[in-house]
């Protein structure tokens, strides 16, 4: 079946603008994760959803970042008042649910803030 | 904060050589995973090790989890150009929250 898909694959925006990044998880996967990967770094955890609710949002860097998953499937990561330091690859992953060790990653969205 | 240190950061070898990549932490993890990531793609899970001292083999790749569950290694035998990529270790304080190292960028030259 289809893997995790993310759109757009690339996003260039100006400092101060608002952006939305979308993640479509594997069908049937109840858990969804967002990570951020800066150049030369490993992925950094942002937020985890189990179903529709954010079970752990401790990785969100500040209140400019927000994520939703209203129907328990597709998720949107929203960044307000973007800053140049937000430039990174934003990765989404999904898994079968709580306690599942295997997360399946999408290809990521490369965000560039100019 | 639980940190994972990977070494070396970069590794360039010739086809047919053997190599070992290390992942170390001062913290204990319930389990640890190794991923491989290629440019423009997300990480792909290679293995999960759960028990201290555990050794897992995946064709030419051998993974070991330290007895104290603080460190791990990945050994590749007779490396091939197709092994080129970024190798990431990730600790699991719990299943829902991966903590990644910075990765080892491996290049295998033909």
């Amino acid at each position: 079946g289809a893997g995790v898909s993310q759109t757009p694959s690339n996003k260039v925006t100006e400092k101060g603008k608002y952006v939305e990044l979308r993640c479509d998880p594997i069908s049937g996967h109840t858990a969804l994760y967002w990570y951020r990967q800066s150049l030369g770094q490993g992925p950094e955890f942002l937020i985890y959803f189990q179903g529709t609710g954010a079970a752990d949002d401790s990785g969100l860097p500040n209140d400019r970042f927000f994520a939703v998953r209203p129907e328990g499937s597709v998720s949107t990561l929203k960044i307000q008042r973007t800053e140049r330091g937000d430039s990174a690859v934003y990765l989404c992953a999904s898994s079968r649910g709580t306690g599942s060790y295997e997360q399946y990653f999408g290809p990521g969205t490369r965000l560039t803030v100019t | 904060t639980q940190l994972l240190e990977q070494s070396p950061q970069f590794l360039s070898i010739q086809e047919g050589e053997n190599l070992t990549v290390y992942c170390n932490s001062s913290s204990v993890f319930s389990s640890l995973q190794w991923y491989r990531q290629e440019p423009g793609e997300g990480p792909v899970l290679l293995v999960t090790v759960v028990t201290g001292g555990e050794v897992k083999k995946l064709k030419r790749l051998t993974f070991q989890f330290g007895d104290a569950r603080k460190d791990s290694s990945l050994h590749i035998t007779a490396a091939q150009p197709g092994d080129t990529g970024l190798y990431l270790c990730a600790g699991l304080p719990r299943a829902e929250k991966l903590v990644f190292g910075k990765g080892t960028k491996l290049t295998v030259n033909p």
Side-chain angles (χ1 to χ4, degrees), chain A residues 59-114:
Chain A
L60 294 177
N62 51 59
D63 61 5
R64 294 187 298 106
F65 288 74
F66 190 71
V68 295
R69 195 186 184 199
E71 297 179 357
S73 178
V74 171
S75 176
T76 305
L77 178 65
K78 307 181 181 192
I79 311 175
Q80 298 178 321
R81 304 183 304 281
T82 52
E83 300 176 357
R84 292 193 180 88
D86 298 335
S87 296
V89 174
Y90 288 81
L91 294 164
C92 176
S94 69
S95 75
R96 288 188 176 87
T98 302
S100 171
Y101 286 113
E102 188 161 5
Q103 296 184 19
Y104 296 82
F105 283 83
T109 293
R110 181 175 295 278
L111 175 66
T112 304
V113 182
T114 61

Side-chain angles (χ1 to χ4, degrees), chain A residues 20-52:
Chain A
E20 290 189 351
L21 311 179
R22 176 188 168 107
C23 172
D24 206 332
I26 292 173
S27 177
H29 279 191
T30 60
L32 185 145
Y33 314 80
W34 284 98
Y35 295 84
R36 177 169 71 174
Q37 188 172 22
S38 301
L39 194 63
Q41 305 290 319
E44 176 190 18
F45 171 83
L46 296 177
I47 187 170
Y48 151 61
F49 288 89
Q50 179 56 45
T52 60

Side-chain angles (χ1 to χ4, degrees), chain A residues 33 35 37 41-43 45 48 56 58 91 98-103 105-107, chain B residues 31 33 35 37 40-43 45 86 88 92 94-98 100-102:
Chain A
Y33 314 80
Y35 295 84
Q37 188 172 22
Q41 305 290 319
F45 171 83
Y48 151 61
D56 185 343
S58 61
L91 294 164
T98 302
S100 171
Y101 286 113
E102 188 161 5
Q103 296 184 19
F105 283 83
Chain B
S31 56
Q33 296 181 324
Y35 289 79
Q37 186 178 23
E41 298 182 9
L45 179 65
L86 179 67
L88 294 157
L92 283 77
R94 62 176 195 275
E96 296 81 17
K97 192 171 182 175
L98 297 176
F100 282 90
K102 289 185 178 182

Side-chain angles (χ1 to χ4, degrees), chain B residues 37-98:
Chain B
Q37 186 178 23
E38 298 193 40
E41 298 182 9
V44 175
L45 179 65
L46 297 174
V47 77
T48 301
V49 285
V50 178
T51 306
E54 182 176 5
V55 176
K56 281 192 173 179
K57 291 192 176 184
L58 186 65
K59 296 183 180 178
R60 295 178 293 101
L61 278 61
T62 302
F63 305 86
Q64 186 163 5
F65 198 15
D67 290 340
R69 306 209 314 275
K70 291 184 178 181
D71 56 88
S72 181
S73 65
L74 159 59
H75 181 79
I76 301 179
T77 304
Q80 300 176 0
D83 296 327
T84 292
L86 179 67
Y87 288 82
L88 294 157
C89 66
L92 283 77
R94 62 176 195 275
E96 296 81 17
K97 192 171 182 175
L98 297 176

